[in-house]
Amino acid sequence: MRKVLIAGGGIGGLSAALACARAGAEVALFERHAEFSEFGAGIQLSPNVVKILYGWGLQEALAEVAAFPDRLQVRSASSGAVLGSLRLGEAMARRYGAPYLTIHRADLHKLLLAALQQQGAAALNLNRSVINFEQTETDVALQLAQDQTERGDLLVGADGGWSRIRRQLLADGTPQPTGHLAYRALISQARLPVHLRSSQVTAWLGPQMHVVQYPVRGGEALNVVAIVQGQVQGDMSHWDHSGNAAELQQRMQAACKTLHDLIQAVPDWRLWALSIRPPMRRGREQADGRVALLGDAAHPMVPYLAQGAGMAIEDAAVLARVLEEGGWFADTPDADVAARVPALLRQYAQQRWRRNARVQATAIRNGKIFHASGLLALARNAAMKIRGEGLMDQPWLYRGI
């Protein structure tokens, strides 16, 4: 059995492990923390991603924990006026073959972990920090803490934006701050006044800020993310910068009453400074030799297209598909298999980097549009009213891989 080493046990790492195990690989995954867990709150999964998860047999599990909003609505943060809307629900499922859903990040993580454990072909190693790796003509050796070494046929770096695997593979620095701060919160809908509860996705757009809200956990909770422009001091790789309600409430003083009421109703916020890399420019940023990068390790992006987790899951699916279609799991002599790995990973990179780059660039552009002011904001609002769904839909993305 061919062996895949995976650094990182987040959504991307678990997705890669599940996809490769389902295809027939032996998987050894290494997570530096003492337990599997996932930070953050909610994420949106569009049809391109949901189709993959359904293909992995997760449709029933997703139905138990996700929410299925019927509409994405865009509103003015200052006036509250509806600027445009996009039908989700059955309309999205008919158009693209799968629904649009919203889910708590931890729920998706648990779901992937459970599916991987049921698969039974993966060794899940906790509290195992990755130090470095060494490639040879026949395999790759992963150096772990306490002078432990694990050998495999290929290595997947799914260890996040500050990836050690990428640092050694490409030596191209670290993600850089965008000047945008994300305040994130999760609140029980039962704790909210009736007029603030919601079963749809709503994006509130304003000068140098926007707020996104949507249901998770079957609609029982509301995920709220407020993104403003500004800087924080300290370690940019750290999730929680002790954001507090008073600071955000001050920043939202000019918001309309409904949005102002929502911000006031949330007692606790976590603050995250957004850092990214420029859009990908070449395949080597996705794979080189026997090492493949996946998710944020390859293409950290701003969340203004809601595709960060989605692109990691797509990466995982394409990686497993390329290996399988390339005959890597076939019963052939070891020397032949060893020789094929770098070429197969180049195929993976070529199939992924341009799409990932387009998503990165589109997300950056969306941020400028979301946070527009003056004439640009007026033009944005007019375009949304005239073109409606035609402007908000993303066929090139939602059709999938």
Side-chain angles (χ1 to χ4, degrees):
M1 184 177 286
R2 314 311 178 198
K3 189 171 184 178
V4 177
L5 308 178
I6 299 176
I11 287 173
L14 292 182
S15 295
L18 180 59
C20 289
R22 285 174 55 86
E26 176 187 355
V27 174
L29 182 148
F30 301 91
E31 165 58 43
R32 65 187 178 91
H33 292 105
E35 61 181 14
F36 285 109
S37 62
E38 184 61 59
F39 294 104
I43 52 177
Q44 301 176 61
L45 297 178
S46 47
N48 52 302
V49 186
V50 177
K51 279 190 286 190
I52 294 171
L53 297 175
Y54 282 7
W56 291 344
L58 302 178
Q59 183 169 352
E60 292 185 5
L62 284 166
E64 293 179 359
V65 296
F68 295 81
D70 61 359
R71 186 172 301 274
L72 188 161
Q73 188 177 77
V74 179
R75 300 178 66 174
S76 166
S78 57
S79 70
V82 175
L83 304 178
S85 64
L86 173 66
R87 289 171 296 161
L88 303 178
E90 288 298 323
M92 187 70 71
R94 285 195 302 271
R95 190 175 304 143
Y96 298 114
Y100 192 110
L101 63 84
T102 52
I103 188 170
H104 193 288
R105 186 177 291 269
D107 291 341
L108 177 59
H109 191 267
K110 291 177 183 177
L111 182 154
L112 291 168
L113 179 59
L116 184 57
Q117 290 170 330
Q118 291 172 7
Q119 191 68 29
L124 306 177
N125 302 278
L126 294 169
N127 204 22
R128 301 286 293 277
S129 294
V130 171
I131 305 303
N132 55 43
F133 66 87
E134 180 181 356
Q135 301 191 59
T136 72
E137 291 185 358
T138 58
D139 67 1
V140 58
L142 189 61
Q143 183 66 44
L144 306 166
Q146 290 84 47
D147 293 327
Q148 296 173 318
T149 302
E150 190 83 16
R151 308 192 79 90
D153 296 288
L154 63 90
L155 169 64
V156 177
D159 49 341
W162 275 259
S163 166
R164 285 192 176 188
I165 302 299
R166 179 178 183 133
R167 191 182 311 160
Q168 181 181 346
L169 186 69
L170 301 180
D172 59 352
T174 60
Q176 296 301 301
T178 62
H180 291 189
L181 307 177
Y183 291 81
R184 300 176 182 265
L186 190 73
I187 187 168
S188 168
Q189 299 232 47
R191 294 181 56 188
L192 291 171
V194 173
H195 74 286
L196 295 180
R197 300 173 191 175
S198 179
S199 60
Q200 66 180 26
V201 182
T202 302
W204 305 83
L205 309 186
Q208 298 188 331
M209 58 77 66
H210 78 283
V211 178
V212 179
Q213 62 178 75
Y214 50 83
V216 294
R217 294 193 159 156
E220 293 182 359
L222 191 69
N223 183 75
V224 187
V225 183
I227 298 182
V228 300
Q229 295 181 202
Q231 299 285 352
V232 296
Q233 302 298 318
D235 181 5
M236 300 300 289
S237 66
H238 192 274
W239 165 266
D240 192 349
H241 290 269
S242 300
N244 58 74
E247 181 179 0
L248 182 59
Q249 289 167 5
Q250 184 176 5
R251 289 178 178 267
M252 294 287 171
Q253 286 181 347
C256 67
K257 185 179 186 307
T258 302
L259 179 55
H260 186 268
D261 288 348
L262 177 62
I263 300 300
Q264 292 281 342
V266 179
D268 300 302
W269 299 85
R270 303 185 76 186
L271 176 60
W272 187 21
L274 302 181
S275 296
I276 61 168
R277 294 180 182 275
M280 302 182 82
R281 292 160 291 188
R282 53 182 178 160
R284 187 170 179 264
E285 294 179 57
Q286 192 88 48
D288 190 30
R290 295 180 171 277
V291 181
L293 298 178
L294 181 149
D296 284 351
H299 42 72
M301 58 186 69
V302 287
Y304 309 146
L305 195 56
Q307 290 293 320
M311 290 302 101
I313 293 170
E314 281 195 6
D315 284 348
V318 171
L319 175 63
R321 184 179 69 195
V322 166
L323 294 174
E324 188 172 21
E325 291 179 352
W328 191 65
F329 302 114
D331 186 15
T332 53
D334 289 347
D336 294 342
V337 172
R340 268 207 308 273
V341 169
L344 291 172
L345 293 189
R346 283 195 297 272
Q347 290 182 35
Y348 158 72
Q350 288 304 312
Q351 290 187 29
R352 289 305 298 159
W353 80 265
R354 290 181 179 85
R355 180 169 169 87
N356 285 323
R358 184 175 181 183
V359 171
Q360 287 176 292
T362 303
I364 291 171
R365 184 200 66 187
N366 281 358
K368 296 176 181 178
I369 295 171
F370 290 178
H371 292 195
S373 58
L375 292 177
L376 181 57
L378 292 174
R380 173 199 67 200
N381 297 352
M384 294 194 72
K385 289 182 178 179
I386 294 170
R387 295 185 57 191
E389 285 198 348
L391 189 64
M392 299 173 65
D393 201 1
Q394 303 287 336
W396 67 271
L397 177 62
Y398 297 157
R399 278 193 295 264
I401 54 177

